[in-house]
Amino acid sequence: MKPIFDIQFMISIVPEILKVVPVTLNITIVSMFFAIIVGLISALVRIYKIPVACQIASTYLSFMRGTPLLVQIYLAYYGIPKILDYAHTYYGWNIDVNGIPAIVFIYFAFTLNVGAYLSETIRAAIQAIDKGQMEAALSIGMTTWQGLRRIIFPQALAVALPSFGNTVISLIKDTSLAFMISVVEMMGQAKILGARGLQFFEVYIVVALIYWIICIIVERTVIRLEKRVKQFERGRSI
Amino acid sequence: MIRLQNIEKSFHHTKVLQNINLTVNRGAVVTILGPSGSGKSTLLRCINFLERPNKGLIQVGDLVIQAEKVSREQMIQVRRNTAMVFQHYYLFKNKTALENVMEGLLIVKKLDRAEAYQKSVHFLAKVGLANRMDFYPSQLSGGQQQRVGIARALAMEPQVILFDEPTSALDPELVGEVLAVMKSLAREGMTMIVVTHEMNFAREVASHVIFMDDGLIIEDGSPVEVFDQTKMERTKQFLQRVKRFDS
């Protein structure tokens, strides 16, 4: 009888999968970077209730959290080229739509999606900081921005970090959707390899293990970071 | 010199300050007394625009500001000439005692690190905390935190320090160390406006005592005038009650 899975084959495909791990990490890091910026801006806009911008941010958040990520990816993939085409025809923007690599649409969709979730985390973290911290900063003549940057953000980071970690881990796993618009990351590579010899089960076990290992590394790193940014809380009894 | 003229402040439709007029000369120590909810803290916070008065004129040194049309720059200017000590200390939690004092010197006064360091050490020593420099607020007692708060205020070399119930959150046995620092500042000629419930401090240290009730200044004068020759019935009642608690 044939064994339930072919270990020999599994080992042989590990290098093939590892080859595209950088694509997965690339999507994660680039999207996370821009998502933090989007999340921070939309959080601040809502905290300070800036007219118009605040409503736009709320609608954006509601949409991103109320529609499936896969739909958002398709919207970006099919929608952005249409909009650019339109701009090309009517405003003479010289953009070669076909020259844009698919991964750019992935960056776009993931940035906006993750940005929405981060926005809530960041808002909650900033609002968890005693408002006296900002008052103290203002009272010695600092500007609001200086107070945010030097006093509020470092403290809010300590609050938000565990939740940030979760978001990164979700994002890593969600990158597996990128193959839906033909970006070959780990999941895409797995499908290709699996189809070659119709050994899907083996391929997916390998992929699952690699995702797992990456997520464990991220988890550990976040825990270590947490200790560092919470340094100022040492000596506190709770 | 600090001057307030016709200050008015309301939250929604409740008037919390009405017709406030006050002049504080250089080197004066003014204490503001009154029951809670009388507007003492709001008055203090109006001086550095942590609360924005609806009406009136505020003068801090050469800065004269019409509250209705105060600009962002003017608010920052006033705050650079004043400093505040808070009831709950509000030390920057992510910074050590030393960094708390250095922060304003580096960021607001733009001193270089060496100079900011020297100054900060000097002021921490002044409040008796040179040996606690590298401690985070979470590692300090309430009294120590409040003394760091005072050092942080002093380091800015303000024209006036605003004290908002600086000892109200402290354990009784820690009140003394904070009051002692405040007394020595008063002796050195620091201009201070102090909202407090410490009657003995007001009596011994203040050059001027103000009694507030319901958003109004209803009595003001020297400590002897306010405590021993009280004119208003409301003030008498309040002082009577406080005295009873004191003994």
Side-chain angles (χ1 to χ4, degrees):
Chain A
M1 206 180 90
K2 255 175 75 177
I4 191 160
F5 47 65
D6 179 352
I7 301 231
Q8 211 60 44
F9 174 70
M10 283 168 66
I11 294 170
S12 75
I13 58 165
V14 168
E16 303 261 351
I17 306 258
L18 287 181
K19 227 169 32 194
V20 294
V21 167
V23 181
T24 295
L25 296 181
N26 176 12
I27 297 171
T28 306
I29 292 166
V30 172
S31 306
M32 194 66 193
F33 175 79
F34 289 111
I36 289 173
I37 297 173
V38 170
L40 186 60
I41 292 172
S42 59
L44 288 177
V45 152
R46 286 183 306 139
I47 290 171
Y48 286 102
K49 299 201 172 63
I50 295 166
V52 188
C54 176
Q55 280 81 357
I56 294 173
S58 299
T59 313
Y60 149 70
L61 241 74
S62 165
F63 179 79
M64 286 296 158
R65 301 205 299 167
T67 53
L69 178 54
L70 189 53
V71 174
Q72 293 162 11
I73 292 172
Y74 282 140
L75 281 177
Y77 186 58
Y78 294 108
I80 295 172
K82 280 225 153 140
I83 292 167
L84 292 179
D85 255 348
Y86 184 87
H88 180 66
T89 321
Y90 290 91
Y91 303 103
W93 289 12
N94 259 327
I95 301 162
D96 174 20
V97 175
N98 297 323
I100 303 174
I103 199 167
V104 172
F105 302 115
I106 289 292
Y107 291 154
F108 189 83
F110 278 82
T111 294
L112 291 185
N113 179 276
V114 176
Y117 286 97
L118 282 185
S119 178
E120 274 303 88
T121 308
I122 293 171
R123 188 182 60 90
I126 289 177
Q127 287 180 334
I129 307 303
D130 191 328
K131 74 178 184 11
Q133 294 289 310
M134 181 56 103
E135 287 186 352
L138 294 177
S139 79
I140 55 170
M142 285 163 87
T143 61
T144 305
W145 177 243
Q146 286 171 335
L148 282 172
R149 201 166 43 85
R150 311 236 354 141
I151 310 301
I152 306 297
F153 290 164
Q155 293 182 43
L157 182 64
V159 179
L161 206 60
S163 178
F164 258 54
N166 282 337
T167 307
V168 175
I169 286 172
S170 294
L171 175 57
I172 289 170
K173 292 179 295 183
D174 287 346
T175 57
S176 60
L177 291 172
F179 189 57
M180 303 308 285
I181 60 166
S182 75
V183 173
V184 182
E185 38 62 72
M186 276 163 61
M187 195 62 187
Q189 184 78 330
K191 281 192 175 156
I192 293 168
L193 290 171
R196 208 186 276 162
L198 291 179
Q199 286 175 299
F200 286 103
F201 184 46
E202 281 86 347
V203 175
Y204 288 136
I205 290 177
V206 172
V207 166
L209 288 176
I210 295 177
Y211 273 118
W212 192 13
I213 291 167
I214 295 175
C215 288
I216 288 173
I217 294 170
V218 170
E219 220 180 290
R220 293 272 159 85
T221 313
V222 170
I223 290 173
R224 219 175 297 148
L225 271 177
E226 220 181 303
K227 273 194 193 129
R228 251 180 64 185
V229 297
K230 283 201 170 152
Q231 196 193 15
F232 61 83
E233 285 178 9
R234 65 185 169 186
R236 230 172 59 162
S237 49
I238 43 162
Chain B
M1 188 193 69
I2 315 293
R3 190 161 61 99
L4 305 179
Q5 218 172 35
N6 286 317
I7 297 294
E8 263 187 54
K9 168 78 187 168
S10 23
F11 290 116
H12 304 290
H13 295 295
T14 334
K15 283 195 171 169
V16 282
L17 291 178
Q18 292 178 64
N19 191 30
I20 299 287
N21 289 288
L22 177 65
T23 304
V24 180
N25 292 319
R26 259 185 89 151
V29 176
V30 175
T31 57
I32 306 178
L33 311 178
S36 43
S38 60
K40 317 179 291 286
S41 287
T42 308
L43 171 58
L44 202 66
R45 292 160 58 84
C46 277
I47 298 174
N48 64 355
F49 290 95
L50 285 185
E51 302 291 352
R52 234 171 113 167
N54 301 99
K55 253 172 79 175
L57 184 121
I58 292 178
Q59 179 178 2
V60 175
D62 302 329
L63 286 163
V64 184
I65 293 167
Q66 198 66 43
E68 298 93 306
K69 39 189 179 195
V70 59
S71 68
R72 212 176 81 97
E73 281 67 32
Q74 283 177 318
M75 289 197 271
I76 290 174
Q77 274 310 314
V78 170
R79 290 172 188 155
R80 289 186 178 174
N81 284 287
T82 59
M84 189 171 239
V85 173
F86 298 87
Q87 179 178 1
H88 297 287
Y89 337 126
Y90 293 155
L91 294 187
F92 304 133
K93 286 185 188 160
N94 55 328
K95 299 192 177 286
T96 62
L98 177 69
E99 289 166 344
N100 261 277
V101 184
M102 279 175 75
E103 185 69 9
L105 299 174
L106 291 173
I107 303 302
V108 177
K109 294 213 184 254
K110 312 250 186 263
L111 299 188
D112 63 57
R113 268 204 107 71
E115 206 178 337
Y117 176 84
Q118 251 176 10
K119 265 201 173 162
S120 303
V121 172
H122 166 78
F123 285 110
L124 279 171
K126 203 176 158 98
V127 297
L129 287 173
N131 57 342
R132 290 284 186 276
M133 259 176 14
D134 296 321
F135 285 52
Y136 282 98
S138 58
Q139 299 167 304
L140 297 171
S141 74
Q144 291 169 336
Q145 289 189 58
Q146 193 58 297
R147 285 187 283 152
V148 175
I150 293 173
R152 175 174 71 182
L154 281 174
M156 301 310 288
E157 291 169 341
Q159 299 189 23
V160 60
I161 300 184
L162 312 168
F163 291 84
D164 189 5
E165 301 199 26
T167 56
S168 300
L170 292 173
D171 289 345
E173 78 264 31
L174 302 178
V175 169
E177 60 188 77
V178 172
L179 288 180
V181 170
M182 289 171 64
K183 276 180 196 166
S184 78
L185 292 184
R187 248 180 273 123
E188 288 168 27
M190 184 50 135
T191 313
M192 297 157 68
I193 305 179
V194 187
V195 170
T196 186
H197 292 296
E198 296 291 333
M199 296 303 147
N200 289 331
F201 176 85
R203 191 185 268 276
E204 287 169 37
V205 183
S207 51
H208 209 84
V209 177
I210 284 171
F211 184 80
M212 283 183 74
D213 190 35
D214 235 357
L216 289 163
I217 294 179
I218 61 169
E219 186 142 4
D220 97 81
S222 69
V224 174
E225 283 169 334
V226 173
F227 287 112
D228 302 328
Q229 300 152 18
T230 319
K231 290 191 255 341
M232 305 295 288
E233 200 48 44
R234 183 71 189 88
T235 321
K236 277 183 197 158
Q237 267 177 15
F238 178 81
L239 292 175
Q240 209 79 62
R241 250 179 251 153
V242 175
K243 215 178 281 167
R244 208 179 315 141
F245 277 116
D246 266 359
S247 57

